[in-house]
Amino acid sequence: MTTSSTPDHNGLLRFTTAGSVDDGKSTLIGRLLYDSKSIFEDQLEAVESASSQKGIDGTDLSLLTDGLRAEREQGITIDVAYRYFATPKRKFIIADTPGHIQYTRNMVTGASTADLAIILIDARHGLLEQTHRHSFIASLLGLRHVVVCVNKMDLVGYSEDRFNEIVQAYKNFSSRLDITDIKFIPISALHGDNVVDRSDNTPWYGGGTLLHHLETVHVGADRNLQDCRFPVQYVIRPQTDAHRDFRGYAGRIASGVFKPGDKVVALPSGLESTVDQILVGDTSLDKAFPPLSVTMTLTDDIDLSRGDMLVRANNQPESTQSLDARICWLSEAPLNPATRYVLRHTTRDVQAKITEVVYRIDINTLHRIEDDLKVGVNDMARVRIKTASPLLIDGYRDNRSTGSFILVDPSTHLTVAAGVVG
Amino acid sequence: MSDSSYNLDHLTELEAESIYVLREVAAQFDRPAILFSGGKDSIVVTHLAAKAFAPGRIPMPLVHIDTGHNFPETLEFRDNLVERLGARLIVGSVQETIDSGKVKEETGANASRNRLQTTTLIDAIEAHQFDACIGGARRDEEKARAKERFFSHRDDFSQWDPKNQRPELWNLFNGMHAPGEHFRVFPLNNWTELDVWNYILRENIALPSLYFAHDRVCIRRAGQILAHSDFLTLRPEETPETMHVRFRTLGDLTITGAFESDADTLEKIIDEVAATRITERGGRMDDKRSESAMEDRKKEGYF
Ligand SMILES: Nc1nc2c(ncn2[C@@H]2O[C@H](COP(=O)(O)OP(=O)(O)O)[C@@H](O)[C@H]2O)c(=O)[nH]1
Ligand SMILES: [Mg+2]
């Protein structure tokens, strides 16, 4: 690593790479790792020897992330690979996601925790169905920052016209999406143009390099510090001699800022109390905010357990048994309106039925499909859901934690859908 | 609000994530366990668990799969830690697995008990009916591990099916499973080796002395330095000599490479790790057996 032991002042950035098969995602990540000197000698040797075994001239940097045997054999990415690198400015977690349509669920996995998505487009081919699908998923999952890298510029003679054409096509498409910050960068992942170092081959491009953008993009404002939500994850009652009466509520702050002395309301009971202490281990904090994991004690003994939520009296989530949501279907088994799914929302599980499929979404045109409402694997749809007991929800736009859920099929235990409220 | 007092340094963010994962295990499973190898990563997991459930005790036992080829320092350290935390310890013995005739000891100069551990581990999981085993593995260690979920499903035969993993959305972990199946859980997934060392320094976590530079009788084999011990079969050309070394990972005595170093404090170790150009597992013979050595062992149920 080129970095000292305390690499960050811009903290942590989680990003995902998306795009169609062969657009160059794995090569780009290899390039970022290589040029930021985050690849170790033995890894490079292993990749070089694997490259020459496959009869490739030079080093195939995609072999750095395609770590499964089946992936190397087929030359494709099947599942998300996570990679880590740091520069003196920031620490990065990359989710390298697959481009094939049948592995969309793995792409969704990688994107759900990301702050930013890099969408690659092959300059020769322009926008493909997967470009649309992945951009739509990024928008659905509330990623506010997208960097469109027009890749393989070396294969179109670094043509400014071609770059502009693709930028225009993407802008036309994305105007109907919900992404606030989109950047366009002409690159060659293979040769390194505009990835870490500015390229002499694109004198017409006035913007910064990809790495510069990743190091400086501001994502702190994406966190919700307004609406106090603390889903109780686990109750700590030591029942040891030293801590006979201790009762702490462990969990991760979903949003907002909590302080000792704050008046809080426990939901769904509606009982009121006051925050006494906020602890991490045996250290008391004077305030707690996302994404900290803490243990709170209250001044009163109230009934509170996993799945309940602490909030402020004047700012409460909606309590409801019917949800309007958008879902991405992840399972080979199609949506079945007769099945009682388990819906997991924050730390709460409830039974749920999908009472209505309002429409499916045509990924290419973003049009609604209202005549064929069968929802199968990789479909996106707007649905109505009824739950057996109330959920405490916020819109996903305002709150990624309290606005998201998954559906689990109780007979297979598989996660069959990802959903966002609103 | 973009007040800088709400910015967290990345170690605090990683700690929060790991504590969340550990609590989720305690909440979702009936019989979880922490797989404790004695190495720095499992020591950090144990430290995080102590923090996650404070002031209570860690609500799951530590399980140590003992190859019988441990450094004595590892065992002493383990016993002290367990006592200090008031934790429960369960030991699975590879020697007993061998004695029962279930597996055959490898022979020859390359012999190692590394692979045999898997059988002992699976036996322990079955005997104690563990439904979640928490490990200290990190995604940055190795390319098959880079694919791991936080909650990683294992079938009735403890096998991993990497081509068909469950989706894992946001931090909504799905630990539902049929009887006999279990999960491997990896709270340190997003940590790098350097993060672990910086955290050990920040939290002042005690480590076995083996991690710090010391004098030790070693031999050189296939470009590696191995600690000399009764478990090692010397080859004719090998002569033990005293070297100033430390270990970067702690595993079975017979395969864990040492390297020459003067780093005898955490600060010096961090400088050394930050400057090094070889991965941590680069010093392990078990990974060098083939390109897919780790993937193959993981599919069978290895850590
Ligand atoms: N000429 C050229 N080839 C590239 C570039 N980026 C990637 N490639 C090649 O395109 C192919 C697919 O790349 P890969 O990274 O595996 O794509 P992925 O499927 O998106 O991960 C490989 O043969 C790469 O060498 C580039 O910028 N220029
Ligand atoms: Mg790829």
Side-chain angles (χ1 to χ4, degrees), chain B residues 225-244:
Chain B
I225 299 174
L226 294 175
H228 184 43
S229 72
D230 296 344
F231 308 121
L232 212 63
T233 316
L234 282 188
R235 297 173 187 170
E237 72 279 11
E238 292 169 347
T239 34
E241 53 179 306
T242 300
M243 302 183 206
H244 202 60

